[in-house]
Amino acid sequence: MQTATDPVEKIVVDAQGLSKCYGSQIAMDGVTLQVRAGEIYGLIGPDGAGKSSLLKSVAGVLAHDSGRLQIFGQLVDSEAASEMVKDRIGLMPQGLGQNLYGDLSVEENIDYFGGLRLLSREEFSERKEALLKSTRLERFRDRPMKNLSGGMKQKLGLVCTLIHEPRLVILDEPTTGVDPVSRREFWSILARLLKEKGITALVSTAYMDEASRFHRVSLMHAGKILASGEPEHIRVLAAGSIVAGVCADPGQQVLAAHRLSAQFPQMEVLGQEIRVFTDTTDRQQARTMVLDCLPDIALSACEVLEPELEDVFIALLRQKNLVRKETETDVVQLSSDGPRYGAQGLAIEAEQLSRTFGEFKAVDQVSFQVPQGEIFGLLGANGAGKSTVIKMLTGILSQTEGKGRVAGADVRTGGRQIRERIGYMSQAFSLYLDLSVLENIRLYAGIYGLTRKETAARMDWILDMAGLRPFGYSLTASLPMGLRQRLALGCALIHRPQVLFLDEPTSGVDPLGRRAFWDVLFRLSREENVTILVTTHYMSEAEHCDHIALMYAGRVVADASPEQLKRDVEQQAGKLYEIHCQDAPAALQQLQAAGFLNVALFGSRIHVLLPLPEHDLQKITAVLGSTGEISILPRRLSMEDVFVHIVTKLEAEDRHPGGAQS
């Protein structure tokens, strides 16, 4: 068997000018890239960018229309040529557990895939036990796949993909729909297994923040590659600075946002913070540019930060004139007749809400309050109980114990009142794709009993709010995902509800569409005083919330603003630092051996929480001093850091109750 250092293995995938069309729809448009042996190569972009088509072409399950593709040096230009390399490839398709069988147990699934690969009994047994141990699935051997959490399904899918030790593994959005703790564990396991076996990986993801976990990446949009290279090198392609600050007077936030959005095309509001991308790397100049737009508005805690990859992605789209007008936030307009709902009182109250299914307690004495006009985030891992709470609050599901009130109505007795006063947007797109935009709006107006005059007025409002006026007669199926979601939001708002429930509202939406969507939510909250309760798997979106309740195992384990949660984690676990070094996986093991517990691998970098920075930084330098040049930089805590810290700590307490070791 050849090793990763053999000349023929230096380039595992060589794609030159690949193109693919589905009728008039262009999926790949002249895609060119090379994947080197031993690296994790990432394809990053929204749904419809062309990632899956490229992965399927490389895996040999989709023929490209034009261009040249070589895998392991073999020209792949026919079905027969594809068959010559398939035994060296492992493919994990998009979707939780899509390559698995729900009624089979964990072990039965692995046995089935091992049988397909015709492995010897001894070879298969050794690999199976090693993979089960690496993924911590040993004690779940007999559990049916359909009863696993999302993260466990993906780990089992990875085991089945790697059981024959392929030299190239292809993973299509393996962490979509998986909570942050499971995401981090998945990437850690993958990096370790690939390094041990010398396997190359080609991975796609819609999460921009996962770029740091890859050796090299390609940013994809509309079938084309916008940029390729190491994540750090891509960041400098659209040079700029982020200016972040909080209005000293919260009542001036809307005015400040309006002024800044008129001057800067990349501006977003994250809870109480306003965040602006400026096209200059001069930090003082960037700060001055923003403050000059707000001569009569004071900003507190004003900082100048390095742009994230998502900021760079959007800036690149602007530079290449690829920003569709309908995704720009300046087309989004709300009514100007002032707040519909008063600022006083509570819009949502949950008091000791509980729900059991047989002997299983899905929700355990959950309590929280949401004031009118607030954006409230309900976060938690898969199976934490978030959806059950929403179903009880909307009257879809009755509670076993406890009380709840929504928009002034009791959830137990006020079913009709609640339905009239709330809007609900489910995770699954709930509109009719074969109806036009206007037909969908009229359908929802009829469901809520609007008069003809009310329907006409609200239809105009929705078309302006969602930037859909040019698309009124277009079939909904033809719209980009971002516009579909804004149409679904408009239909949920057609009867002007007091409270809006959103379940994973931006899943699959590109970064531009996601920002435009959240701009609408911010203005609904601030200008019309609509209360919004949202669940999301994008931890960056949690930053948009005014307040957050974090659920774990059916309970609320944290209830505060994002800023307060970050301060709490800093007090408990320390400040966040990022370590750059030559061999991050080896350095990670050295730090763990030296007693650093809150440490995680991020591609070629390491993130670590330090309770005593001065002492701990000296210790890190001493531990890693012999490994080559290192640099250590402070970083801001993200909501993902907060989520992972809290949930990981609770999981450890569950494994070792009272501090006892198992």
Side-chain angles (χ1 to χ4, degrees):
M1 177 178 174
Q2 292 171 314
T3 68
T5 57
D6 291 333
V8 74
E9 289 292 289
K10 287 183 178 178
I11 301 298
V12 174
V13 178
D14 186 2
Q16 301 293 326
L18 290 190
S19 295
K20 177 67 180 179
C21 293
Y22 302 99
S24 60
Q25 182 70 35
I26 300 175
M28 290 190 292
D29 189 1
V31 171
T32 295
L33 60 79
Q34 290 183 327
V35 181
R36 302 168 189 156
E39 71 177 347
I40 303 178
Y41 196 104
L43 302 176
I44 302 178
D47 285 358
K51 306 187 302 296
S52 292
S53 294
L54 177 56
L55 293 183
K56 289 175 182 177
S57 294
V58 174
V61 297
L62 178 71
H64 51 278
D65 296 335
S66 61
R68 180 183 176 87
L69 177 63
Q70 286 186 295
I71 312 293
F72 304 115
Q74 168 70 47
L75 179 64
V76 178
D77 56 359
S78 65
E79 188 174 339
S82 296
E83 292 299 325
M84 294 179 67
V85 297
K86 280 186 179 178
D87 63 328
R88 288 172 278 176
I89 294 175
L91 172 63
M92 185 171 162
Q94 185 176 344
L96 296 177
Q98 287 299 302
N99 60 332
L100 306 174
Y101 294 87
D103 291 327
L104 296 184
S105 68
V106 167
E107 189 160 33
E108 287 169 340
N109 267 288
I110 300 172
D111 291 345
Y112 173 75
F113 278 86
L116 285 180
R117 295 297 182 173
L118 303 177
L119 301 175
S120 68
R121 181 174 299 180
E122 182 179 342
E123 186 179 35
F124 170 71
S125 178
E126 182 181 337
R127 290 182 188 175
K128 180 172 75 171
E129 295 306 316
L131 287 168
L132 282 170
K133 184 177 181 179
S134 294
T135 54
R136 294 193 298 170
L137 289 173
E138 290 173 298
R139 57 195 181 97
F140 303 103
R141 292 172 183 267
D142 298 327
R143 182 175 294 185
M145 186 281 284
K146 62 185 178 184
N147 294 338
L148 299 177
S149 68
M152 292 172 70
K153 286 178 182 176
Q154 293 305 77
K155 288 195 291 184
L156 176 57
L158 182 63
V159 169
C160 293
T161 301
L162 295 176
I163 193 67
H164 66 297
E165 292 191 359
R167 286 155 65 191
L168 170 64
V169 60
I170 299 171
L171 309 175
D172 194 359
E173 298 199 12
T175 57
T176 295
V178 177
D179 67 84
V181 174
S182 298
R183 280 172 62 195
R184 286 197 180 186
E185 185 181 28
F186 181 90
W187 289 118
S188 176
I189 291 169
L190 178 65
R192 185 176 68 252
L193 290 175
L194 297 188
K195 184 175 182 181
E196 289 174 356
K197 302 297 182 180
I199 298 172
T200 304
L202 179 59
V203 188
S204 71
T205 179
Y207 295 103
M208 291 282 168
D209 61 339
E210 291 191 336
S212 60
R213 303 181 185 278
F214 307 132
H215 297 100
R216 291 190 300 139
V217 301
S218 285
L219 300 183
M220 296 191 68
H221 176 76
K224 295 183 178 181
I225 290 181
L226 295 181
S228 295
E230 296 178 11
E232 291 304 316
H233 294 163
I234 288 180
R235 290 177 190 273
V236 304
L237 296 179
S241 302
I242 295 293
V243 180
V246 177
C247 289
D249 178 1
Q252 292 185 305
Q253 188 185 37
V254 173
L255 177 60
H258 277 301
R259 288 186 186 174
L260 291 170
S261 63
Q263 183 69 27
F264 300 96
Q266 288 181 237
M267 187 284 302
E268 61 177 339
V269 178
L270 302 177
Q272 300 304 311
E273 185 177 76
I274 297 177
R275 196 170 178 274
V276 181
F277 179 91
T278 63
D279 293 313
T280 177
T281 56
D282 186 312
R283 299 169 73 88
Q284 186 56 47
Q285 183 183 7
R287 180 187 173 93
T288 302
M289 289 168 63
V290 170
L291 294 179
D292 284 349
C293 287
L294 308 171
D296 55 343
I297 298 177
L299 288 186
S300 62
C302 188
E303 294 182 83
V304 183
L305 310 168
E306 294 291 325
E308 300 294 335
L309 190 67
E310 183 172 299
D311 301 308
V312 173
F313 179 81
I314 294 173
L316 286 172
L317 291 179
R318 286 195 294 109
Q319 289 179 3
K320 297 175 182 291
N321 295 318
L322 295 174
V323 177
R324 291 190 300 268
K325 183 65 179 176
E326 66 269 18
T327 63
E328 294 180 334
T329 57
D330 61 3
V331 303
V332 180
Q333 300 175 3
L334 301 185
S335 57
S336 58
D337 53 356
R340 180 174 176 84
Y341 302 103
Q344 303 301 315
L346 296 174
I348 303 173
E349 299 174 77
E351 183 181 341
Q352 303 293 306
L353 278 181
S354 298
R355 173 70 195 197
T356 57
F357 297 94
E359 296 183 359
F360 174 64
K361 201 160 195 175
V363 175
D364 187 4
Q365 296 186 326
V366 163
S367 298
F368 58 81
Q369 296 179 333
V370 186
Q372 187 64 48
E374 185 173 83
I375 301 176
F376 188 89
L378 195 59
L379 307 182
N382 300 96
K386 306 183 301 296
S387 295
T388 305
V389 169
I390 287 181
K391 288 177 181 177
M392 287 191 287
L393 290 174
T394 54
I396 296 173
L397 194 66
S398 62
Q399 68 268 38
T400 307
E401 299 174 16
K403 301 176 182 178
R405 293 183 66 82
V406 175
D410 189 292
V411 297
R412 189 182 293 273
T413 60
R416 181 172 180 178
Q417 286 178 301
I418 289 175
R419 286 191 292 273
E420 290 173 348
R421 298 174 188 177
I422 69 169
Y424 176 65
M425 184 175 160
S426 65
Q427 183 175 353
F429 184 64
S430 56
L431 302 182
Y432 291 89
L433 298 181
D434 54 351
L435 295 183
S436 70
V437 168
L438 295 178
E439 287 169 338
N440 266 298
I441 296 173
R442 289 194 190 100
L443 174 64
Y444 271 76
I447 290 173
Y448 284 106
L450 272 64
T451 66
R452 183 174 297 181
K453 182 178 180 180
E454 290 171 333
T455 298
R458 293 303 287 166
M459 183 176 289
D460 279 340
W461 181 86
I462 291 170
L463 293 175
D464 289 334
M465 177 277 295
L468 286 168
R469 194 163 287 282
F471 307 96
Y473 295 99
S474 301
L475 286 181
T476 304
S478 69
L479 298 178
M481 182 61 75
L483 286 185
R484 289 191 200 178
Q485 294 299 79
R486 272 151 61 187
L487 172 59
L489 175 63
C491 290
L493 292 168
I494 195 165
H495 58 304
R496 301 199 74 171
Q498 182 179 347
V499 180
L500 182 62
F501 290 90
L502 305 174
D503 191 8
E504 302 279 350
T506 59
S507 180
V509 179
D510 65 82
L512 276 170
R514 207 159 59 236
R515 290 195 177 191
F517 188 92
W518 274 100
D519 179 68
V520 175
L521 297 185
F522 163 71
R523 295 172 64 184
L524 281 169
S525 165
R526 301 304 191 260
E527 297 178 20
E528 295 212 348
N529 217 40
V530 174
T531 302
I532 300 168
L533 188 150
V534 60
T535 70
T536 177
H537 267 305
Y538 292 99
M539 285 297 105
S540 60
E541 289 192 344
E543 310 277 0
H544 289 271
C545 300
D546 299 307
H547 204 92
I548 286 171
L550 175 58
M551 293 189 66
Y552 173 80
R555 313 186 310 273
V556 170
V557 294
D559 184 0
S561 67
E563 293 75 19
Q564 185 60 53
L565 289 173
K566 291 174 187 177
R567 286 194 293 268
D568 292 344
V569 169
E570 277 199 352
Q571 291 176 358
Q572 295 170 16
K575 292 188 176 294
L576 179 66
Y577 285 83
E578 184 174 86
I579 303 171
H580 296 244
C581 54
Q582 292 179 349
D583 189 347
L588 178 73
Q589 292 180 352
Q590 288 179 278
L591 291 173
Q592 289 173 331
F596 290 95
L597 302 178
N598 294 309
V599 59
L601 186 66
F602 275 71
S604 59
R605 298 173 291 177
I606 296 171
H607 281 195
V608 59
L609 288 168
L610 303 180
L612 303 169
E614 290 187 13
H615 172 268
D616 293 334
L617 288 172
Q618 291 178 352
K619 185 176 179 182
I620 289 175
T621 303
V623 170
L624 302 181
S626 61
T627 62
E629 185 178 345
I630 65 170
S631 66
I632 308 174
L633 301 172
R635 296 273 294 185
R636 291 176 110 201
L637 274 174
S638 68
M639 276 309 301
E640 179 172 316
D641 295 314
V642 170
F643 184 101
V644 171
H645 173 75
I646 293 174
V647 173
T648 301
K649 182 179 178 182
L650 290 168
E651 288 179 341
E653 290 173 357
D654 285 347
R655 288 195 296 271
H656 312 300
Q661 299 295 314
S662 61

